[in-house]
């Protein structure tokens, strides 16, 4: 009688072990990709770009005052949210403050170990959200070529892990834990706040607003717990992140940077205030469209589908699109549309952009005739290819939402939304209420 449960438990343990090993392999490959910088290339002109191994981690050890023992926000204003600053400080404590390249490398090594652990957590959370029959899709995160290349550029893996852990907690019908993890994710990188819009729209349609408010309230509480002490004790340091992003112009990778560099009519000559307004307006329009899709689709969309659309919309309309932001998208793409061909095309575009940006920076810093330099037209071709493939994924996901019979996750006719938590299998209460009102009138 125990054969079935024992066998199921063995299979689950085996799959978890394989996913952990795959994640560690992905992390190891990401570390190898940065080997030239770790060996000293980050100290030698454009060599870090020629070796395609640039990372923010090493220079920020010195740039943020960690090397001289300065505490983020209190002694030195840091351009990141508070959890990110805490992680940086913890790594500095472990490696020990010292203004030498050796100390910088130790700081990098400690940070990479933390990020590798975050990758493991993110992969396992993604696999859980995919459901029992699709847990192997976690391998598409662990061994994503674009994620491997971008894994150790910055601290984004921590935000990704917290976001996916929050989604896994929601899938497990633990709204308080989901909210706490989401609040910590927002306190690490602000982008996960986007998750609240799709969650609200789907809970509204399913009549599950109580669970939404529990999650949103828990997220706000967790965010306040980690932010308020710093905001009150060091307000100038705390607000640096928000001021920095408000004053930041169109940066590499964004469509706005392309418009400005190519002097497109109207949009290419926008001021900083104009870009901020245009970017915000474009994202708001996308949010309205996503909310309408959530409420008007013939069948309630799956939560990962809308989470991907919202995050992609943010990147497509943002004035900054750094190469490491691919870390945000990979698990959401895997859950929203686990089909290999479009995923592979997008990965190729992301990898091409990864190499193009470093070659372009060689051109910017040292000139076009330097070894490894990439011309502006080739860089912008890679930028537009990445933009286009993410947009293509959005179109395909929207088509799956409007034609749920084409959604591979629901193809068996029994599965609804493995990551949906209380939404999984829930009836459309709002639609039923509207129909009832129509009949009564």
């Amino acid at each position: 009688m125990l054969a079935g449960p024992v066998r199921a438990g063995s299979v689950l343990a085996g799959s978890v072990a394989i996913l952990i090993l795959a994640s560690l392999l992905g992390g190891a490959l990401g570390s190898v990709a940065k080997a030239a910088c770790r060996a000293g290339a980050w100290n030698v002109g454009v060599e870090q770009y020629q070796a395609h191994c640039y990372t923010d981690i090493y220079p920020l050890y010195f740039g943020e005052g960690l090397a001289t023992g300065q505490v983020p926000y209190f002694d030195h204003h840091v351009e990141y949210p508070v959890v990110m600053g805490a992680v940086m400080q913890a790594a500095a404590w472990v490696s020990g403050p010292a203004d030498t390249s050796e100390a910088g490398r130790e700081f990098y090594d400690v940070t990479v170990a933390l990020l590798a652990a975050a990758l493991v957590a993110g992969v396992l959370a993604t696999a859980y959200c995919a459901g029992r029959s699709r847990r192997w899709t976690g391998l598409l995160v662990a061994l994503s070529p674009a994620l491997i290349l971008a894994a150790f550029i910055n601290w984004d893996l921590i935000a990704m892990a917290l976001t996916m852990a929050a989604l896994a907690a929601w899938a497990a019908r633990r709204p308080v834990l989901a909210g706490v993890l989401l609040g910590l994710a927002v306190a690490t990188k602000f982008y996960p706040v986007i998750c609240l819009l799709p969650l609200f729209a789907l809970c509204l349609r399913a009549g599950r607003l109580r669970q939404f408010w529990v999650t949103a309230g828990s997220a706000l509480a967790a965010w306040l717990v980690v932010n308020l002490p710093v905001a009150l004790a060091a307000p100038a340091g705390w607000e640096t992140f928000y001021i920095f992003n408000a004053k930041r112009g169109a940066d590499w990778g964004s469509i706005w940077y392309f418009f400005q560099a190519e002097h497109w009519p109207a949009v290419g000559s926008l001021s900083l205030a104009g870009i901020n307004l245009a970017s915000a307006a474009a994202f708001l329009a996308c949010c309205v469209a996503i909310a309408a899709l959530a409420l008007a689709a013939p069948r309630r969309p799956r939560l990962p589908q809308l989470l991907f659309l919202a995050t992609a919309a943010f990147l497509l309309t943002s004035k900054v699109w750094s190469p490491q932001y691919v870390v945000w998208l990979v698990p959401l793409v895997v859950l929203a549309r686990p089909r290999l061909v479009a995923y592979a095309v997008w990965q190729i575009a992301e990898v091409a952009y990864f190499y193009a940006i470093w070659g372009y920076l060689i051109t910017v810093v040292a000139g076009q005739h330097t070894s490894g330099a990439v011309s502006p037209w080739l860089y912008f071709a890679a930028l537009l290819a990445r933009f286009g493939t993410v947009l293509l994924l959005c179109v395909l996901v929207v088509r799956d939402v409007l034609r749920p019979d084409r959604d591979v996750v629901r193809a068996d006719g029994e599965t609804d939304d493995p990551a949906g938590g209380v939404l999984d299998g829930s009836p459309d209460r709002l639609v039923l209420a509207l129909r009832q009102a129509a009949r009564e009138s």
Side-chain angles (χ1 to χ4, degrees):
M1 292 179 65
L2 295 177
V6 169
R7 184 175 182 275
S10 299
V11 172
L12 177 60
S15 63
V16 168
I18 291 173
L19 289 169
I20 291 174
L21 289 174
S23 302
L24 294 175
L25 174 60
L29 292 173
S31 183
V32 169
K34 295 287 185 283
C37 278
R38 190 180 179 280
W42 47 37
N43 293 315
V44 186
V46 297
E47 188 175 331
Q48 59 187 332
Y49 303 136
Q50 292 171 325
H52 311 105
C53 64
Y54 173 81
T55 173
D56 289 330
I57 298 170
Y58 178 85
L60 287 182
Y61 174 69
F62 302 97
E64 300 293 1
L66 298 165
T68 55
Q70 297 185 59
V71 178
Y73 313 108
F74 295 88
D75 302 324
H76 188 277
H77 296 177
V78 178
E79 63 189 55
Y80 295 107
V82 294
V83 171
M84 190 84 78
V87 171
M88 295 167 68
Q89 180 61 73
W93 278 334
V94 173
S95 57
D99 196 4
T100 65
S101 60
E102 281 299 317
R105 185 162 62 183
E106 290 176 8
F107 175 79
Y108 169 80
D109 290 342
V110 171
T111 302
V112 164
L114 293 171
L115 294 176
L119 176 59
V120 172
V123 168
L124 292 178
T126 303
Y128 181 84
C129 293
R132 287 183 176 274
S133 62
R134 293 190 173 276
R135 65 170 63 94
W136 297 111
T137 56
L139 292 173
L140 294 177
V141 180
L143 301 177
S144 159
L147 185 147
I148 287 170
L149 289 172
F152 304 133
I153 294 177
N154 202 282
W155 289 263
D156 294 72
L157 275 172
I158 297 173
M160 182 274 274
L162 286 169
T163 303
M164 298 314 299
L167 183 56
W170 175 266
R173 308 193 178 204
R174 301 181 66 181
V176 173
L177 179 59
V180 169
L181 291 168
L182 183 60
L184 293 176
V186 176
T188 305
K189 280 271 187 175
F190 204 67
Y191 85 91
V193 75
I194 298 167
C195 298
L196 291 173
L197 170 67
L199 190 60
F200 174 78
L202 293 177
C203 286
L204 178 63
R205 176 165 177 163
R208 299 287 188 171
L209 284 178
R210 187 182 71 82
Q211 287 85 350
F212 168 79
W213 291 120
V214 169
T215 298
S218 301
L220 177 60
W223 186 87
L224 288 173
V225 164
V226 297
N227 274 273
L228 270 183
V230 180
L232 294 175
W238 177 81
E239 68 183 9
T240 297
F241 164 74
Y242 303 96
I243 295 174
F244 171 77
N245 282 282
K247 293 184 176 180
R248 193 173 185 178
D251 211 338
W252 294 307
S254 75
I255 194 67
W256 305 102
Y257 179 77
F258 168 72
F259 289 152
Q260 284 195 333
E262 294 299 299
H263 305 290
W264 272 47
V267 292
S269 58
L270 286 174
S271 63
L272 173 59
I275 291 176
N276 285 339
L277 180 60
S279 174
F283 179 60
L284 179 60
C286 290
C287 289
V288 171
I290 291 168
L293 181 67
L295 296 173
R299 182 176 177 181
R300 190 188 64 257
R302 291 185 294 108
L303 179 56
Q305 290 176 316
L306 294 194
L307 291 178
F308 162 72
L309 290 175
T311 306
F314 175 75
L315 291 175
L316 290 168
T317 60
S318 177
K319 58 183 180 178
V320 180
W321 193 345
S322 300
Q324 67 267 21
Y325 292 177
V326 67
V327 170
W328 308 356
L329 277 183
V330 171
L332 297 178
V333 171
V334 166
L335 293 175
R337 196 171 190 275
R339 290 183 179 272
L340 191 57
V341 174
Y343 171 85
V345 171
W346 167 60
Q347 286 286 294
I348 291 170
E350 289 282 2
V351 170
Y353 180 81
F354 175 86
Y355 286 105
I357 179 59
W358 309 127
Y360 180 65
L361 289 178
I362 295 173
T363 301
V364 171
V365 173
Q368 191 168 335
H369 302 293
T370 306
S371 175
V374 165
S375 64
W377 75 264
L378 187 57
Y379 167 70
F380 286 124
L383 183 154
L384 293 174
R386 179 176 66 162
F387 187 96
T389 53
V390 171
L391 188 60
L392 172 63
L393 287 172
C394 291
V395 171
L396 293 173
V397 169
V398 170
R399 186 187 66 174
D400 289 347
V401 170
L402 296 176
R403 293 279 306 277
D405 57 298
R406 302 181 69 100
D407 182 0
V408 66
V409 174
R410 290 171 162 170
D412 60 8
E414 298 178 0
T415 303
D416 180 33
D417 187 356
V422 296
L423 300 170
D424 187 24
S426 182
D428 288 337
R429 299 293 177 84
L430 177 64
V431 174
L432 290 174
L434 291 174
R435 287 177 179 171
Q436 180 65 29
R439 283 197 297 268
E440 291 176 355
S441 64

